[in-house]
Amino acid sequence: MRVSVLQENLARGLSIVSRAVSPRSTLPVLANVLVATDEGRLRLSATNLELGITCWIGAKIQDEGSTTVPARTFSDLVATLPGGNQVEMSLTVRTQTLNVRCGASNTDLKCIDAQEFPPMPVSDVSQGLELNVMDFKEMIQQVVFAASTDDARPILTGVLVTVKGDTITLAAADGFRLSVRKARLSSPVARPLSAVIPARALSELARIASDGDKTLTMITPPGRAQVIFRVGDVELVSQLIDGMFPDYEQIIPRRCDTRAVLSTSAFLKACKQAEIFAREGSHIAKLNIQPGGELKPGVVEITGQSEETGSNQNIVDANIEGPGLLIAFNVRFLREVLDVIRTPNVALETTANNLPGVIRPVESQDDQSEFLHVIMPMHLGS
Amino acid sequence: MSIHILPAEVASQIAAGEVVERPASVVKELVENSLDAGASSITISIEGAGQRLVEVIDDGCGIPAEELALAVERHATSKLSQAADLFNIQTLGFRGEALASIGSVSNLTLVSRTAHSQVGAKLRMEGGQLLNLQPAGAPPGTTVRVEALFYNVPARLKFLKSEATERRLIDNLVVRYALAYPNVRFQLMQDKRPALQTSGRGERREILVALYGAEAARQMLEVNSIDGEMRISGFISPPSLTRSHRRDIFFYVNRRPVQDGALSAALLKGYHTLLMVGRYPLGAIFIEMPPDAVDVNVHPTKAEVRFRQPEQVFAALQSAVRRALLAHSPAPGLNISLHWGSGEQRPSSFTGHFDPSWPSMEKFPPQEASVEAQDANPPISASPPARASSQPGLPDQRVPLLRPVGQIAAAYLAAEGPDGLYLIDQHAAHERVLFERFLAQRSSGIPSQALLQPAAVHLSAAEARLLADQLPTLASLGFQVEPFGPGVFLVRAIPALLANSNPEDALRVLVENFEEDETPLQALQEERIIARVCKRAAVKAGAILSMEEQRALLFDLEACQSPRTCPHGRPTMIHLSVDLLERQFGRKGAR
């Protein structure tokens, strides 16, 4: 293999794929990045067997070939090579040594034969579902945080992605809260789809997908428990999580007694302050929802306290319909959901202190609510 | 077969069986008599494990010559005169049976002189028959010689254990009395060889050496507490020093050795969560209380007592033990002192520790000094015994500020403290943190987190019954569980502290818990449930912790009340002092 690439391109490609490198794996080749010539371009791939990322970069190819290069060493090296220069790479197959020259720098890297690298799936982009990058990134950000990080319930570490008709829905839950985000597709799909994708893979996708890219393609090859995302010259492959995702529709309360509309930023700020105090205990924050009278507006009083640090109270003005209520929530859950709500106002819907609360962004008139978040309350024992 | 009244000597031999069942009981009765006589020095000579000879010489008040014959009569005593005195017993003996009983099964010689009479008297008795009584010269005090014990009761002789066993029983017995009476000089000779010698200077710790061995005695913690008219003092072992049996736990009520299962249960409760399952502490506990608050006239050998207010005694004992443990509970040192066993460290720390009484240690024959040392391999603290003499009431066993250094084998944290290196078991440490958080929250109400979807747990009929009984307890712990058809329960909420664990597992663990140890005591039960739940919820060995998580865990551990052990009593940390490291690297001290 003899190739020449621009330093910037190589550095960017390596930084994208190296997120999938598993440095602590028992399989040494998984700590390496596959470097291969591929139809006039240079292909960089890394995988940890669950998640694989491939990036194609432009290159001048003199001889075809492939090898795997230690990811950490290679990335660190390339990052320090002079920018704007061509990086010349040539592989000695017999010794699996990659010679890297750039400017005055000359390096020999010990490599592992590309034969040992796990095969990466080949995608057929034409079969895929086209999505808007910006929209899908926001969708991901609004649900992934609610996914469980506990491996004891693997299904909940994933995000349920369903596509039906002209609607795509993302849902994630961790046993105490549920985040659901819907979006309209530009054109209805012929084949409905339902898959549980690891939350981590989606987070990586959101990170990789740069704002410059317009569309993103999602491919679920039939018969394989995999999903492939193609965005620009990057492809991300993830194993799907096997199992039944809980039927979240029945968890979403059908109605509510009390509906409080608050300023998202004021509510978020109050929650952040309460969390400073609540984190010492069990992250418990008390919300006292007090409807207004004729003259005074309604308020929501948010209290966080701990025996060690003290207590904090914030009063946020609110437009309240329905009776008052004292309810407690995990303040971290509140903060995390308020963090991803873009609208200036947010609605908190509650019924009783032992029934779930629902948080929805308050959209403008013409746009109906596509996001909702369900949080289970906490109780203070007797 | 006709019914007839038994001859006097047969009757007295039968009665003797109650009081005198083996040579050690003879020693016990005679030593008690000497102590009741106010002796300041007691010399006991044993030959042939007590069968050939038991001789007890004291310098007590003595028996006047004219009363000597009476002393060997049944129910003759100077310690009691009317029934009401039974409720206010200040002496060890009072039944007036000992000498008569011993006399009826041996050849007894009694020599005694009171301090203010010129001449003493000597009495000789064989098998209960008074042979002669004559004036004799003698030092003040009483000498009792018991020869040919059980010569006329062959059945009794047959049931004696081996000589070694009988000798050991006598040794242990005398040590126990010596411990109760540190101001009395005890000398025990077994077949003319000294087996025990105490100074009589009132230093109890020196006697502990004879009881538990030098190493264990050095580690024993002092207990000292006063609760109304009751005073509890003595020694208990730190949680790192344990035995697989309860035989090394001794109780004294008003300086009388007693055996009481409830007392040792109370002692163990004091160690609650500090001891591993199946391990027992060592202890010598002295309970002093008004004589009318305790009934000692329960059993002829007076080994059992009845308290008028047992709960109060047990509670006081438990809290006294707990306080002593809290005040001093060092991380167990690393047991590597054996590598430099010949070095100076151990002896120097000994003498440094109890200077005043130490010289007498040399008088103990070595085999006596290490009675139980090889029995349980007590973990030898490699660090100097910094705080062995604890200050009761000052709970100062918190860990110092720790700086995380790293994680080892995804199971242990290495941390630096001001006094060296600490190795911390991440699972045990987290268990302790969770456990204390639970207990702290229990007073103000344990927050529970409702589940998005109730989890259904299917149980066997027996498990379901167990669980159904405990629903109120579980509710107070933050588990909201409700029955949902036969054998099925719905978990609606779990304690917020356990929000990271699987609710179904958490509940199942609890049912298993109920099956294993059923205790009627509600408080204990609840704590056990908490301990069990915490064990399940704590971070496991094998989990890789980030530096932030390590720091948080250490921070939480520093805030714990008893950070040195997990709720099940396993140590959470091992301490390697700088001193030890320096020795190990040969920078300091003998190699």
Side-chain angles (χ1 to χ4, degrees), chain B residues 42-287:
Chain B
I42 300 175
T43 304
I44 304 141
S45 304
I46 307 291
E47 277 172 34
Q51 284 176 49
R52 207 157 59 235
L53 170 76
V54 175
E55 186 188 54
V56 176
I57 304 169
D58 69 50
D59 59 353
C61 62
I63 307 169
E66 59 275 19
E67 290 175 11
L68 208 53
L70 205 55
V72 295
E73 287 291 321
R74 186 161 297 278
H75 306 306
T77 183
S78 60
K79 301 166 185 177
L80 202 67
S81 55
Q82 55 198 28
D85 292 350
L86 271 176
F87 302 103
N88 191 17
I89 288 165
Q90 316 252 8
T91 52
L92 292 168
F94 55 85
R95 296 171 66 102
E97 287 180 325
L99 276 180
S101 299
I102 295 166
S104 67
V105 292
S106 68
N107 296 335
L108 179 74
T109 311
L110 201 57
V111 183
S112 189
R113 176 166 82 82
T114 58
H116 32 260
S117 62
Q118 294 296 316
V119 65
K122 180 177 178 182
L123 172 149
R124 187 155 169 82
M125 204 177 176
E126 273 180 22
Q129 299 296 318
L130 187 64
L131 292 186
N132 62 0
L133 174 63
Q134 62 194 55
T142 307
T143 299
V144 184
R145 275 176 78 87
V146 178
E147 289 160 297
L149 184 64
F150 298 137
Y151 78 98
N152 54 352
V153 200
R156 183 65 70 184
L157 221 43
K158 219 183 286 173
F159 281 98
L160 291 184
K161 299 257 168 60
S162 70
E163 283 209 358
T165 308
E166 296 295 338
R167 243 197 310 267
R168 189 169 50 79
L169 287 172
I170 294 171
D171 285 352
N172 288 350
L173 183 107
V174 176
V175 169
R176 292 184 62 184
Y177 276 95
L179 194 58
Y181 291 84
N183 292 313
V184 177
R185 203 150 56 86
F186 279 81
Q187 188 177 12
L188 172 64
M189 308 287 285
Q190 291 265 25
D191 295 320
K192 302 201 162 60
R193 280 203 305 271
L196 173 77
Q197 169 104 44
T198 69
S199 66
R201 279 189 300 234
E203 183 61 44
R204 274 187 173 141
R205 208 177 266 272
E206 107 188 343
I207 302 153
L208 281 183
V209 174
L211 192 60
Y212 294 133
E215 184 53 47
R218 187 174 63 79
Q219 294 182 38
M220 296 296 276
L221 312 175
E222 231 161 283
V223 177
N224 216 333
S225 94
I226 293 172
D227 183 354
E229 288 190 289
M230 186 167 27
R231 176 160 185 262
I232 295 173
S233 59
F235 300 91
I236 55 171
S237 62
S240 55
L241 177 62
T242 58
R243 299 280 196 250
S244 59
H245 53 77
R246 303 167 193 241
R247 289 195 298 275
D248 280 332
I249 304 174
F250 303 108
F251 290 100
Y252 300 81
V253 174
N254 291 341
R255 301 221 269 181
R256 176 194 308 281
V258 297
Q259 289 160 358
D260 191 312
L263 279 177
S264 64
L267 175 77
L268 290 177
K269 260 182 91 175
Y271 277 87
H272 182 46
T273 76
L274 296 175
L275 289 178
M276 263 188 259
V277 177
R279 301 299 295 181
Y280 301 94
L282 291 70
I285 300 285
F286 302 89
I287 301 172

Side-chain angles (χ1 to χ4, degrees), chain A residues 150 175-176 282 376-379 381, chain B residues 441 447-452 499-500:
Chain A
D150 182 10
F176 310 112
S282 305
M376 294 307 290
M378 294 177 82
H379 309 277
Chain B
Q441 286 182 353
S448 68
Q449 167 73 59
L451 298 176
L452 209 50
N500 290 328

Side-chain angles (χ1 to χ4, degrees), chain B residues 394-413:
Chain B
L394 285 179
D396 172 38
Q397 61 133 19
R398 307 216 168 188
V399 288
L401 288 176
L402 297 174
R403 178 177 71 83
V405 174
Q407 197 182 19
I408 300 159
Y412 307 99
L413 305 185

Side-chain angles (χ1 to χ4, degrees), chain B residues 505-526:
Chain B
D505 273 12
L507 199 66
R508 212 172 274 286
V509 161
L510 291 178
V511 180
E512 284 158 10
N513 187 21
F514 289 152
E515 284 175 332
E516 275 170 22
D517 31 45
E518 284 173 65
T519 17
L521 293 159
Q522 181 65 27
L524 193 62
Q525 179 74 288
E526 201 171 295

Side-chain angles (χ1 to χ4, degrees), chain A residues 9 18-19 35 37 73 77 84 93 103 114 137 163 173 179 192 197 212 227 230 239 251 287 318 326 357 366:
Chain A
N9 288 345
S18 57
R19 296 286 293 197
V35 179
T37 54
T73 316
L77 172 70
V93 177
K137 263 178 87 166
V163 184
S179 229
I197 301 172
V227 62
R230 182 73 177 265
Q239 301 292 325
I251 296 165
L287 271 63
L326 182 64
D366 52 332

Side-chain angles (χ1 to χ4, degrees), chain B residues 512-587:
Chain B
E512 284 158 10
N513 187 21
F514 289 152
E515 284 175 332
E516 275 170 22
D517 31 45
E518 284 173 65
T519 17
L521 293 159
Q522 181 65 27
L524 193 62
Q525 179 74 288
E526 201 171 295
E527 277 189 18
R528 281 197 186 195
I529 292 173
I530 296 175
R532 179 57 81 96
V533 163
C534 293
K535 188 177 181 63
R536 172 69 187 65
V539 57
K540 300 285 177 297
I544 293 164
L545 301 184
S546 69
M547 213 59 186
E548 272 316 304
E549 289 170 308
Q550 296 177 27
R551 192 168 291 126
L553 181 56
L554 293 179
F555 182 79
D556 290 341
L557 193 63
E558 284 163 15
C560 283
Q561 295 280 342
S562 315
R564 314 254 181 189
T565 56
C566 85
H568 297 90
R570 284 196 302 123
T572 56
M573 56 177 66
I574 292 171
H575 176 210
L576 291 149
S577 66
V578 173
D579 185 65
L580 175 79
L581 293 175
E582 282 175 344
R583 282 171 191 281
Q584 288 292 300
F585 284 110
R587 283 169 168 270

Side-chain angles (χ1 to χ4, degrees), chain B residues 418-437:
Chain B
D419 49 354
L421 172 69
Y422 287 82
L423 293 172
I424 292 156
D425 180 332
Q426 65 188 39
H427 174 66
H430 194 214
E431 236 181 297
R432 167 55 72 181
V433 169
L434 285 178
F435 183 70
E436 295 212 351
R437 284 217 181 131

